[in-house]
Amino acid sequence: VNLSEDWIEDLGGAWKYSRSFVMDGNFSAEHMKLKNDDDFDLTGGSGYFTASPRYQAHLQIADDKQPKSTCHEHKAVNQVHAIQKHLAATGIGAIACARHGCFVLDTVVNFQKGERQVNMDYALCRALGKLEGMLRAAVIYDIACQFNVHFGARVSRSDYLKFSDTIQIIWGIGLFHIHGHQDVCLSRYSPDLIPGIGKVDGEVLETLWSQLNEICGSTRSMTAAHRQEVLNDHMLDSN
C-alpha cells in the first residue's frame, strides 16, 4: 500500500523491505489425550494453527536428531525429547512479527515432546514462505545460536520445508534471553546490533503468551479441533 511500484528493484535498500520475526514455544498451552477426539476441524489451516495433515507428514520423515549445545545448557535445547504420556500436545510453537507483535497466520504448531527443531523448522518455513519478493528477514529466537547452524541443511533435505532461496536470514536472540548465553553470542545475535531492524527487544511473544495462558487451562481438555479454534480466535483478537 505504501510502497512504490518498483520497490523490488531497490536492491541497495533491501533492509527497508525486510520482515522481522520472533519464534518461541509455550508449554502452558498443552493438550490432554482424550479417549474420544473425533471432532472435525473447521479451519483447516486457514487460521494461525498450521494445517495438520501436511505438518504430520513433515514430522514423519524429519530427522529428529539434535546436536549437543555448543552454548550454555539451555532448557529449550536439553529437554527436546521430554515425553509426557498423558498429553497429546506438550505445548505450542509460534511465529510473530517482532515489531508489531502480531501472530503470523499458518505458523502455530503443536509440540509432541519438547521444543524440537523439527517443530520450529516447519513454523519458520511457513512464515518465510509468505515473503514473496523480499530479500531479507530477521529471525529472533531464544536459541538461534544453535538452531541456525544446520537450518539450511534441514530445509534442503525436506520436501515440506520450502521458502525462496533468495531470502537472506539474519539471526538474532532476544535481549532478555541473550544474557543467558556465552559472551560471544551478544555481539553476534543482539537485536541492538542488527542493522535495519529498528529498535526491537525480540521478546514480544513472551507478552503474548502471558495473555494466551489465561485460557490455556480451559483449552487443555477440549477436543483437538475445539482447542485449536478457541486458540485461533484469541490470537486473532490479540492481533
Side-chain angles (χ1 to χ4, degrees):
V1 175
N2 59 349
L3 298 180
S4 61
E5 293 183 358
D6 61 346
W7 70 269
I8 200 169
E9 299 175 8
D10 184 11
L11 300 181
W15 62 272
K16 292 185 290 186
Y17 314 111
S18 63
R19 289 288 300 273
S20 301
F21 294 123
V22 176
M23 304 167 58
D24 196 26
N26 179 358
F27 289 95
S28 293
E30 60 187 23
H31 184 226
M32 295 180 63
K33 288 183 178 178
L34 305 178
K35 291 184 178 180
N36 298 307
D37 193 359
D38 56 355
D39 200 0
F40 184 77
D41 175 21
L42 297 177
T43 58
S46 61
Y48 297 96
F49 273 83
T50 194
S52 182
R54 193 175 190 278
Y55 176 50
Q56 294 301 325
H58 157 70
L59 294 177
Q60 289 293 326
I61 67 167
D63 185 356
D64 197 21
K65 294 180 181 178
Q66 193 151 318
K68 186 177 180 180
S69 175
T70 58
C71 190
H72 288 165
E73 297 296 311
H74 301 294
K75 183 177 179 181
V77 176
N78 295 335
Q79 297 186 3
V80 291
H81 295 299
I83 298 175
Q84 299 190 53
K85 295 182 178 180
H86 66 292
L87 296 178
T90 57
I92 60 175
I95 311 288
C97 173
R99 291 188 62 81
H100 305 99
C102 292
F103 288 101
V104 180
L105 285 168
D106 191 25
T107 64
V108 180
V109 295
N110 281 314
F111 293 153
Q112 298 72 39
K113 299 178 182 178
E115 191 172 334
R116 296 180 296 165
Q117 291 179 346
V118 294
N119 303 122
M120 301 309 289
D121 284 344
Y122 192 86
L124 179 56
C125 286
R126 299 305 290 174
L128 294 174
K130 304 178 189 302
L131 306 185
E132 183 177 353
M134 292 188 181
L135 301 178
R136 187 176 184 271
V139 177
I140 303 173
Y141 187 27
D142 300 347
I143 52 172
C145 61
Q146 306 302 304
F147 181 83
N148 85 90
V149 176
H150 301 293
F151 176 68
R154 296 194 300 272
V155 170
S156 65
R157 291 195 300 263
S158 175
D159 292 331
Y160 297 97
L161 303 177
K162 301 296 180 184
F163 61 91
S164 173
D165 57 7
T166 62
I167 296 178
Q168 177 192 13
I169 301 177
I170 311 297
W171 298 96
I173 298 173
L175 290 178
F176 175 78
H177 286 86
I178 199 168
H179 295 289
H181 286 249
Q182 295 178 355
D183 290 343
V184 67
C185 290
L186 182 64
S187 59
R188 289 180 179 176
Y189 300 109
S190 172
D192 284 343
L193 303 177
I194 299 176
I197 70 167
K199 186 65 175 177
V200 297
D201 61 10
E203 303 287 357
V204 70
L205 266 171
E206 302 294 343
T207 63
L208 299 180
W209 292 147
S210 67
Q211 298 176 26
L212 197 68
N213 287 349
E214 294 184 14
I215 64 158
C216 286
S218 299
T219 59
R220 187 172 185 265
S221 56
M222 293 178 177
T223 64
H226 189 194
R227 165 181 173 267
Q228 182 168 309
E229 289 165 9
V230 170
L231 291 176
N232 271 333
D233 285 344
H234 280 264
M235 291 176 187
L236 176 61
D237 183 70
S238 173
N239 283 2

